[in-house]
Amino acid sequence: MYIIKKNKILTKELIIRNVKFLCFASYVQTETDVINFLKKYKNKKANHNAYAYVIGNRRENIYKTDNGETRHIAGKTILENIIDKNLTNIIVLVSRYFNPLYNLLEDWIKNGYATITRIILTSAQLEKINEQIKIGILLRPLNEVFLRELLDKNKINIVSRLIYRGDLIFTIIIDRNNSVLIELDNLIIKGIIYSYKILKN
């Protein structure tokens, strides 16, 4: 998974038959970042300000809006391009300005959103980040101390601890390539934990 360069606003413009698409993209890490970005770059003079954003190393927060465009013609198109580029912690805003003398067909409008988003994302400097996954671990309460020792040794925080039918379920978040997964496999072999699995967000 990748992020775009921080502290840099990307800007591109596309004109199709005198209809202007103005695109902005930025690194964001929180919804507050999103709000501040939109306050600065949404243009009230534009006919539509469609945007999409993805936040989190596991893409926990995804949002899109067509802002009055025909459904799925704008926000979904922007979001699909973000996902196709395997990006996170990013917002892409596309402002569209009508030409009163010429109305674009919906296919042309959708193509405009797709094209300008691809152009701006292709121009971005990317930085690879470690993808994170959420893991659920099932074990007997008597063996809790052994699992805690392993997690403490690897400096892994416990997100939640639940009791389920007399057993325990621990939830942790780790990098996908974390070697602790091998150690968890060994705990299964030793009978210290029953199993573990990757959980959905």
Side-chain angles (χ1 to χ4, degrees):
M1 199 174 300
Y2 297 86
I3 59 173
I4 67 172
K5 189 173 181 179
K6 300 177 184 179
N7 303 317
K8 184 176 181 181
I9 303 298
L10 303 176
T11 307
K12 295 291 179 182
E13 182 179 304
L14 175 69
I15 296 177
I16 300 176
R17 296 196 176 186
N18 293 322
V19 175
K20 184 168 76 171
F21 296 82
L22 185 60
C23 185
F24 301 91
S26 176
Y27 175 88
V28 290
Q29 200 167 8
T30 66
E31 289 192 356
T32 301
D33 293 340
V34 170
I35 292 168
N36 291 336
F37 172 86
L38 292 173
K39 281 181 180 177
K40 188 171 183 179
Y41 292 100
K42 273 181 74 173
N43 192 332
K44 292 180 180 179
K45 293 181 180 180
N47 298 98
H48 299 284
N49 287 286
Y51 63 90
Y53 64 81
V54 179
I55 296 174
N57 286 5
R58 294 179 295 113
R59 291 181 175 148
E60 301 94 326
N61 193 347
I62 295 177
Y63 181 82
K64 59 181 173 57
T65 178
D66 296 307
N67 190 234
E69 291 279 25
T70 303
R71 191 179 179 196
H72 298 324
I73 213 171
K76 182 182 178 184
T77 302
I78 296 167
L79 180 60
E80 285 173 346
N81 278 275
I82 292 172
I83 300 299
D84 285 346
K85 285 285 188 179
N86 200 20
L87 293 166
T88 191
N89 290 355
I90 185 173
I91 182 168
V92 176
L93 165 69
V94 180
S95 300
R96 183 166 81 90
Y97 298 81
F98 287 166
N99 177 353
L101 301 178
Y102 189 88
N103 291 322
L104 286 179
L105 298 174
E106 284 188 2
D107 285 348
W108 283 75
I109 296 171
K110 184 176 181 179
N111 182 62
Y113 281 105
T115 301
I116 192 63
T117 305
R118 279 197 306 271
I119 290 171
I120 205 163
L121 296 181
T122 300
S123 72
Q125 292 181 324
L126 304 182
E127 175 186 335
K128 189 168 186 177
I129 61 169
N130 290 326
E131 182 182 355
Q132 291 190 318
I133 53 175
K134 184 187 287 186
I135 301 286
I137 305 168
L138 181 65
L139 69 152
R140 294 175 61 194
L142 289 174
N143 292 330
E144 180 176 359
V145 63
F146 301 110
L147 178 60
R148 285 187 177 273
E149 285 177 358
L150 173 64
L151 299 179
D152 288 344
K153 182 184 75 173
N154 287 276
K155 299 179 180 179
I156 296 172
N157 294 324
I158 298 165
V159 176
S160 67
R161 175 187 180 275
L162 301 173
I163 298 174
Y164 177 75
R165 295 182 179 178
D167 291 319
L168 291 178
I169 299 176
F170 276 41
T171 303
I172 61 174
I173 295 175
I174 59 173
D175 291 342
R176 183 175 286 278
N177 59 357
N178 195 312
S179 61
V180 77
L181 293 173
I182 297 172
E183 298 185 69
L184 289 175
D185 289 335
N186 290 332
L187 291 187
I188 293 174
I189 293 169
K190 293 175 181 177
I192 293 173
I193 65 173
Y194 293 128
S195 64
Y196 69 87
K197 67 177 183 177
I198 299 174
L199 305 175
K200 293 182 179 180
N201 292 338

